[in-house]
Amino acid sequence: MGRTLFDKIWDEHVVADLGNEVALMHVDLHLMHDLGGGPGFRMLAEKGYRVRNPELTFATADHAVSSAPGRTEDTNPVGGRLLRMLRAASAANGIRMFDLGSDGQGIVHVIGPEMGLSLPGMTIVCGDSHTCTHGGVGALAFGIGSTELVHVLATQTLVQRRPRRMRVTMDGAPAAGVTPKDMILHLIGLVGAAAGSGFAVEYAGAAIRALGVEGRLTICNLSIELGAKIGMVAPDDATFEYIAGRPMAPKGEMWERALAHWRNLNSDGDAEFEREVRFDSGALAPQVTWGTSPEHVIAIDGRVPDPDGAIDAGRRASMRAALEYMDLKPGARLEGLPIERVFIGSCTNSRLSDLRAAARVAKGAKVASRVRAWVVPGSTGVKRAAEAEGLDRIFRDAGFEWREPGCSLCVGANGEMVDPGKRCVSTSNRNFVGRQGPGARTHLASPVSAAAAALAGCLVDVRKLGVEPWKNS
Amino acid sequence: MEEFVRLRALAAPLMRDNIDTDVIIRIDRLVGGRPDEVGKYAFELLRYLPDGGENPDFVLNREPFRRAQILLAGANFGCGSSREPAVWALQQMGFRCVVAPSFGDIFFANCFQNGMLPVVMERRTVEAIAAEVEADAAHGFVTVDLQKQTIVSPSGKEFRFEIEPARREALLHGLDEIGMTMRREAEIAAFQSRDRNRRPWIYR
Ligand code: SF4
């Protein structure tokens, strides 16, 4: 029987078979960030271990740094303490760090692929659930907890159970105004936020193949919101072109060897998946969430569902609590709902293609007076590239705030929050209760939908603005 | 790590799907907070009112659930962020076992690193046990036996659950995973030296 992409990468990393589908796996790349990094090193020291392979771990600052223009590491004082802790521990342990202001600093899931650290066929872990993002380059990547993080530092391995395999095939070509974010949100609404639990997901089909690497990173990013800690796309020429020449990517003869290896990374024609899901991306409308789980998602021209229509009591309870928290009623339309904040950023949608798409919507227009809108590039690299082509000007002229790279308003760990009761259209990945601040109401959407909402002062159907189809770069 | 063998304790029903780890412990309690103090902030936004007082409507604030050690939960419990303090927060509240139809994968793995037993049971089974507990909360004692892989409801109904053998062993004996892996250093070194020839670009 054929093997899946996932199986090929998994099998190549088994250090020891521990029986019953459990293996000791080699970790090729470990990424650390400011929130978990310092505490992780402290735990390592407390347990009396040392770093086994410092050359395979890299660190950066993202979660707890301020994104305010002109920020220093102490603009958010708690973040400054965490950053210094990580900086000192990285230096003491021989770990390379992309510090504030340097190329390579940014959201850990943006800089991995951008710097050429994240490569096809690698096992990649990070103490952050959105590590699944790196599956967009064809890596087997997943988030870990702090004890597992110490396990990786001490042994460069992890004990893992082989997950089941799911394939999601997205056919067709999305209409104008429908982006990779809408494709993956639709999937989560279709199968539910727990559907991927215990699975590694492979995304396939014409709509995935047509995407550039950045769009694939967005798709894989939300795997964890589907319940799957692993999501991946088989690497192809688009992947190899994207990686070639990046600072940490293999070069010369090493590149040729790597490339030959990577070309074998795909699922065999007769590979079997325990679950298959398929839909036509050509039929999709822009998606927006109404509730407090990413599965609480509808098309922008749809209506908020009635909890009484749900079969399970647990699901009904979750929907009722969500409606109350979001101050919405069953049957309500989302289009036209007034908003106060817009956040374009996060490891989901803060790459150059996202900012370009949002800028095309914002160009020559004005942010509504009731709205405070932020654009937070995912990395120092993205910020510089965007500024080089004048995107910052377009956003500023339209009344958006152009900020410094980091997680910012995605997480509320850096002093940046949405006020209680306020509505925020966010390009991030979590609309959880209190995620953007206690009482904050989050509507997840694509960068173009978010930009359009900023201009209109309410949720809008971006298709009505005559927006162009999604561009890969 | 603390062992988990058998537990007879009060159970509390929190039967709502998608309780995420942000709800279990807010990020701003982790930034600069102390890991041994997360318990008092567990379920903060549900448990406390805006003025800081306890929300009497929240199930875990009610007697006898305040003393519960087993949590009965909806599907996808612990979804979202990988933050391990979500497990610590539950432990500091007194919980040693969570029973749910499904779990967030990373939370599930984090439980085993801390001597907390996550049990996967069919939705209708969890709902049935929760219904018994709610009908007579003061006598809502549930028994979780990891040796026998069973859960016994307050009325005496027995349900079997599945668990990965290695994880069961580790919990039963309180084994430390890192310590066990350290003993495999020779295998790790052998893997890396083979791998360096095969995939030299990994080691940079
Ligand atoms: S941007 Fe948000 S989701 Fe992504 S790593 Fe940062 S906090 Fe996590």
Side-chain angles (χ1 to χ4, degrees), chain A residues 62-63 107-109 128 130 221 346-348 406-407 410-411 428-430 435:
Chain A
D62 54 6
H63 282 70
I107 306 174
V108 63
H109 313 308
D128 187 283
H130 289 101
N221 176 267
S346 90
C347 56
T348 311
C407 296
C410 171
V411 68
S428 55
N429 41 45
R430 287 189 174 141
R435 171 79 177 189

Side-chain angles (χ1 to χ4, degrees), chain A residues 85-109:
Chain A
M85 219 168 128
L86 177 62
R87 187 183 290 142
S90 296
N93 288 284
I95 282 159
R96 282 165 281 183
M97 176 167 169
F98 302 108
D99 214 329
L100 277 199
S102 71
D103 268 335
Q105 179 272 331
I107 306 174
V108 63
H109 313 308

